């Protein structure tokens, strides 16, 4: 069983998690959960993930539309196909490894206009796009919950309890745990910094 997570990179807010397999159906569940949290007045966010095809298929199912290609009058009529919405933006990050060491990181834009994506992410065309925020929260989960320690005796025996544990972690992570990267300089008396949780940010 896997835990799929979605995080809002600018505030480190853990948006949604889903427990299941590494399948398109589970990716759809993850993105449906994220979409339920999005305000109808806000644009579809830029999605960034590692190199896993199920994410691309999941995004198409949640943020896609059925389109019938134009028939050119020759041969069979084309079948309807699922295409991304015009404002869907998705970047896939591919990591090349040599002997377990990452030697190169390649950002591949799957959906969306590259120029618009780089502007939204505050980077130029040569800028780095990575999955470091998602990897960092995965590390926090593994070090905070004994259930995620590999080959340990505290592994989850039931999916329901595993999910409830992640729910509790999500509440603690978003509302209780201050993040050093989110602090604001205030210089008020003896206090130099105001620490914030992801929910505060």
């Amino acid at each position: 069983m896997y835990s799929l997570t979605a995080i809002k990179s600018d505030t480190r807010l853990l948006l949604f998690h889903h427990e299941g397999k590494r399948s398109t159906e589970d990716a759809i569940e993850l993105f449906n959960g994220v979409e339920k949290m999005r305000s109808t007045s806000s644009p579809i966010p830029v999605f960034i993930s590692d190199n896993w095809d199920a994410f691309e298929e999941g995004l198409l199912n949640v943020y896609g539309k059925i389109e019938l290609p134009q028939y050119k009058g020759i041969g069979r009529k084309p079948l309807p196909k699922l295409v991304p919405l015009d404002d869907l933006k998705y970047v896939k990050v591919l990591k090349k490894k040599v002997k377990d060491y990452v030697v190169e990181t390649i950002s591949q834009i799957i959906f969306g206009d590259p120029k618009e994506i780089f502007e939204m992410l505050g980077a130029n065309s040569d800028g780095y796009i990575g999955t470091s925020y998602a990897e960092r929260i995965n590390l926090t989960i593994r070090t905070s919950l004994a259930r995620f320690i590999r080959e340990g005796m505290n592994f989850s025996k039931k999916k329901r309890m595993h999910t409830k544990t992640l729910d509790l972690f999500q509440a603690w992570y978003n509302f209780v745990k201050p993040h050093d990267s989110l602090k604001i300089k205030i210089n008020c008396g003896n206090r130099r910094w105001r620490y914030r949780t992801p929910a505060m940010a």
Side-chain angles (χ1 to χ4, degrees):
M1 181 170 59
Y2 293 87
S3 291
L4 309 181
T5 58
I7 184 173
K8 192 170 182 291
S9 61
D10 58 343
T11 62
R12 316 297 192 268
L13 189 73
L14 178 55
L15 295 172
F16 195 77
H17 65 87
H18 170 73
E19 283 65 54
K21 299 178 180 179
R22 288 177 65 87
S23 67
T24 300
E25 290 73 22
D26 290 293
I28 291 172
E29 287 292 329
L30 176 71
F31 293 125
N32 273 328
V34 173
E35 178 59 16
K36 286 177 183 176
M37 302 185 69
R38 183 175 69 92
S39 169
T40 53
S41 61
S42 65
I44 297 174
V46 179
F47 289 95
I48 304 171
S49 79
D50 55 9
N51 186 21
W52 184 34
D53 292 338
F55 280 145
E56 181 177 338
E57 296 167 9
L59 281 170
L60 267 179
N61 278 272
V62 177
Y63 298 99
K65 59 183 178 181
I66 300 294
E67 191 175 83
L68 182 62
Q70 186 178 1
Y71 179 53
K72 297 180 180 179
I74 302 173
R76 294 183 180 178
K77 288 187 177 182
L79 297 173
K81 64 178 183 178
L82 191 61
V83 298
L85 296 175
D86 295 335
D87 52 351
L88 176 62
K89 302 169 187 65
Y90 174 49
V91 181
K92 185 186 290 186
V93 177
L94 298 83
K95 295 180 179 178
K96 291 186 177 181
K97 291 185 176 182
V98 175
K99 296 182 179 180
D100 295 330
Y101 289 96
V102 177
V103 295
E104 187 179 7
T105 301
I106 301 172
S107 301
Q108 182 181 358
I109 296 176
I110 307 299
F111 305 130
D113 177 56
K115 184 178 178 181
E116 190 176 351
I117 289 174
F118 282 115
E119 284 179 358
M120 291 181 70
L121 295 176
N124 54 42
S125 58
D126 297 324
Y128 171 75
I129 298 177
T131 57
S132 56
Y133 294 126
E135 291 167 0
R136 185 61 183 86
I137 194 172
N138 289 339
L139 176 63
T140 302
I141 291 173
R142 287 196 299 271
T143 55
S144 301
L145 299 176
R147 293 170 185 265
F148 285 85
I149 298 175
R150 292 188 179 128
E151 299 180 2
M153 63 182 297
N154 297 310
F155 68 93
S156 297
K157 284 77 174 176
K158 294 182 179 179
K159 180 181 177 181
R160 179 176 174 274
M161 293 305 297
H162 188 79
T163 299
K164 294 298 181 184
T165 302
L166 262 293
D167 289 340
L168 185 61
F169 169 85
Q170 184 177 8
W172 169 77
Y173 179 87
N174 284 340
F175 293 95
V176 179
K177 184 181 185 299
H179 286 248
D180 194 62
S181 61
L182 299 176
K183 65 186 179 183
I184 300 175
K185 196 168 186 176
I186 55 174
N187 285 328
C188 180
N190 294 330
R191 293 182 61 192
R192 283 191 62 192
W193 303 96
R194 178 181 172 224
Y195 289 88
R196 300 185 299 170
T197 66
M200 292 168 67

